[in-house]
Amino acid sequence: MKKLGFGLMRLPLINGTKTIDKDELIKMVDLFIAKGFTYFDTAYMYMDYQSESVTKEVLVDRYPRDKFTITSKLPTMYLKEVNDMERIFNEQLNKLGITYFDYYLLHNLNGNTLPIANKLDAFSFILNKKKEGKIKHIGFSFHDKASMLEEILIKHPEIELVQLQINYIDWDSPSIESRKCYEVATKYNKKVIVMEPVKGGILMNIPLKAKELFNSYNKEVSLASWALRFAASLDNVFMVLSGMSNLEQMIDNTNTFYDFKPLNEKEHEVIKEVVDIMNQTNEIACTGCSYCTEGCPKNIPIPKYFDLYNSHIKNKNSNSSMYYAILTKTHSKASDCIKCHKCEKSCPQHLKITDLLNTVANTFEKKN
Ligand code: SF4
Ligand code: SF4
């Protein structure tokens, strides 16, 4: 199986709206399948809960079931009682119009969600669904320390796959521990699915000096291809997910994987130099996933503010201050944060959101 998976969480939108551009998406799906790729990755809450039903329209209703595989996930962060698992699982099958999942994962296990998954016995739930034939392979996606990953894998030998955040900037990061998590998964013979190989687009928007370094080695290839090849060059990586948002990205990504070439030694060195450059910037490592905004009592548009801050850091002449002033006319300001820390519990990047909002406020509000 080719190692590129289509992540259905950043689908194309019709200009300036939240409506999914199905015509563009159909072209992307058709190209993906025509080039021999088969792996589609969705989840319950992706695209404001629309991803699974749109996947039915653009994929399931248009191709024979043996032409593609579907992965979805049980949202551990939304589970309150045992019955929620059966209800959501059946809802997902219905939304997708399928009778079984090829891969089904417990979504976003971490220090906050693992106790819920244990309390409701979510591991047994997915194992039983596998025995019933409604799931072919089981696993979980994970956002915490390698030591916790090891504890889970020891306790649950039935798990076949682990989905991890792996990319070149997080590889040796002490907060994400990509390398350590990868090594633990490998030690326990679990196949690894890579999420966020481009870190939510951050690795497409790197400092100019880093871009020049990549270009000086090879100006024919995209920034995304460096990031994807880094993840896919790891031996135990079974699949690399890319959340593609338009046909252009689909063409570029599928070209990278069509006749895949692992990174050579020199390319690894170039990446190390790029990491050094990136580690010298003060950008906020927010991927824009929006997991933090759901329960915020002040409705602060956290990722939007972090994005404006990053643009400001990169280019002091950007219009970030102006956009911040416009946004705060209809939303709470960064300084309205009451420091309840609710958002930090859901952040897969383990960002100190309250401190960072303080930085945003100091940057944009002092002049207003
Ligand atoms: S800490 Fe601030 S930003 Fe986070 S949920 Fe609470 S009020 Fe919202
Ligand atoms: S702050 Fe964290 S949870 Fe919120 S959008 Fe950024 S990465 Fe996601």
Side-chain angles (χ1 to χ4, degrees):
M1 197 195 280
K2 287 187 163 71
K3 274 190 182 184
L4 176 67
F6 189 173
L8 301 153
M9 82 290 275
R10 295 186 181 98
L11 299 178
L13 298 175
I14 293 173
N15 279 350
T17 69
K18 285 189 172 178
T19 309
I20 295 169
D21 184 342
K22 287 183 202 156
D23 293 340
E24 176 84 349
L25 183 54
I26 283 173
K27 286 184 206 151
M28 293 165 73
V29 167
D30 289 352
L31 180 76
F32 191 70
I33 291 197
K35 283 181 142 180
F37 297 89
T38 52
Y39 191 98
F40 290 82
D41 172 86
T42 181
Y44 189 61
M45 79 293 276
Y46 285 173
M47 300 302 295
D48 224 359
Y49 303 87
Q50 296 178 74
S51 175
E52 289 171 327
S53 41
V54 168
T55 301
K56 174 179 185 297
E57 283 181 58
V58 300
L59 174 71
V60 179
D61 290 349
R62 299 177 58 249
Y63 283 94
R65 186 66 180 89
D66 61 357
K67 286 282 178 214
F68 57 86
T69 65
I70 289 201
T71 303
S72 197
K73 315 179 189 85
L74 188 66
T76 55
M77 47 292 206
Y78 297 160
L79 301 177
K80 298 263 182 302
E81 49 189 69
V82 170
N83 290 345
D84 290 341
M85 297 189 286
E86 188 72 38
R87 176 181 56 77
I88 291 174
F89 185 83
N90 289 331
E91 190 186 330
Q92 291 176 300
L93 285 175
N94 282 337
K95 278 166 85 180
L96 279 157
I98 55 178
T99 53
Y100 67 91
F101 292 102
D102 300 274
Y103 306 92
Y104 194 76
L105 316 179
L106 300 181
H107 199 170
N108 189 16
L109 287 191
N110 59 52
N112 295 306
T113 55
L114 184 60
I116 303 164
N118 285 336
K119 186 173 143 216
L120 303 182
D121 205 4
F123 287 92
S124 298
F125 176 80
I126 55 173
L127 184 60
N128 288 336
K129 289 295 174 198
K130 184 180 168 189
K131 286 178 187 159
E132 287 171 26
K134 292 187 174 171
I135 302 175
K136 294 210 164 159
H137 302 285
I138 56 173
F140 58 86
S141 63
F142 183 76
H143 285 283
D144 215 306
K145 300 287 179 194
S147 54
M148 181 186 287
L149 177 62
E150 182 150 26
E151 279 170 36
I152 301 174
L153 292 180
I154 290 171
K155 205 165 156 203
H156 293 287
E158 73 276 15
I159 288 297
E160 298 162 85
L161 307 129
V162 184
Q163 185 164 307
L164 299 172
Q165 176 166 325
I166 294 179
N167 55 62
Y168 62 73
I169 195 71
D170 289 327
W171 187 238
D172 285 312
S173 144
S175 59
I176 306 295
E177 294 193 346
S178 285
R179 178 205 290 271
K180 287 185 182 167
C181 287
Y182 172 78
E183 286 169 356
V184 166
T186 305
K187 178 175 161 191
Y188 290 90
N189 292 320
K190 307 301 171 190
K191 286 182 183 171
V192 171
I193 304 164
V194 172
M195 59 182 152
E196 303 290 11
V198 192
K199 197 158 168 119
I202 288 177
L203 302 184
M204 298 290 287
N205 209 0
I206 58 177
L208 185 62
K209 210 170 140 195
K211 247 184 230 171
E212 285 170 355
L213 197 58
F214 276 142
N215 284 342
S216 68
Y217 184 82
N218 183 352
K219 63 177 184 318
E220 303 299 323
V221 300
S222 66
L223 294 177
S225 76
W226 281 94
L228 294 171
R229 286 177 64 225
F230 175 85
S233 296
L234 295 160
D235 288 341
N236 191 33
V237 163
F238 149 74
M239 193 58 57
V240 177
L241 303 177
S242 177
M244 294 168 267
S245 305
N246 56 47
L247 193 57
E248 196 188 332
Q249 290 172 5
M250 175 62 78
I251 291 168
D252 183 50
N253 288 189
T254 48
N255 284 347
T256 301
F257 281 83
Y258 191 71
D259 180 21
F260 183 75
K261 290 190 182 53
L263 291 176
N264 61 35
E265 216 173 295
K266 176 68 191 146
E267 287 169 327
H268 272 293
E269 279 169 26
V270 173
I271 284 183
K272 269 193 202 123
E273 285 181 58
V274 164
V275 169
D276 288 343
I277 294 169
M278 289 184 71
N279 283 340
Q280 285 160 23
T281 71
N282 291 323
E283 281 181 41
I284 299 173
C286 169
T287 59
C289 68
S290 289
Y291 289 178
C292 53
T293 51
E294 188 123 342
C296 172
K298 303 299 278 183
N299 274 324
I300 298 174
I302 301 165
K304 285 192 181 134
Y305 288 169
F306 289 171
D307 187 40
L308 288 177
Y309 176 81
N310 285 345
S311 302
H312 177 77
I313 289 287
K314 273 195 281 259
N315 175 12
K316 291 271 190 276
N317 295 323
S318 75
N319 289 325
S320 296
S321 296
M322 183 187 79
Y323 287 125
Y324 183 79
I326 294 170
L327 258 179
T328 50
K329 284 197 176 121
T330 48
H331 297 79
S332 297
K333 294 193 292 241
S335 60
D336 290 328
C337 169
I338 55 169
K339 304 204 182 326
C340 64
H341 299 285
K342 214 167 163 190
C343 52
E344 290 172 1
K345 293 195 178 116
S346 0
C347 178
Q349 308 307 318
H350 311 294
L351 296 177
K352 299 251 180 286
I353 296 176
T354 50
D355 293 351
L356 294 167
L357 284 175
N358 207 19
T359 309
V360 170
N362 287 336
T363 306
F364 294 132
E365 292 179 30
K366 61 185 180 210
K367 297 176 211 139
N368 296 333

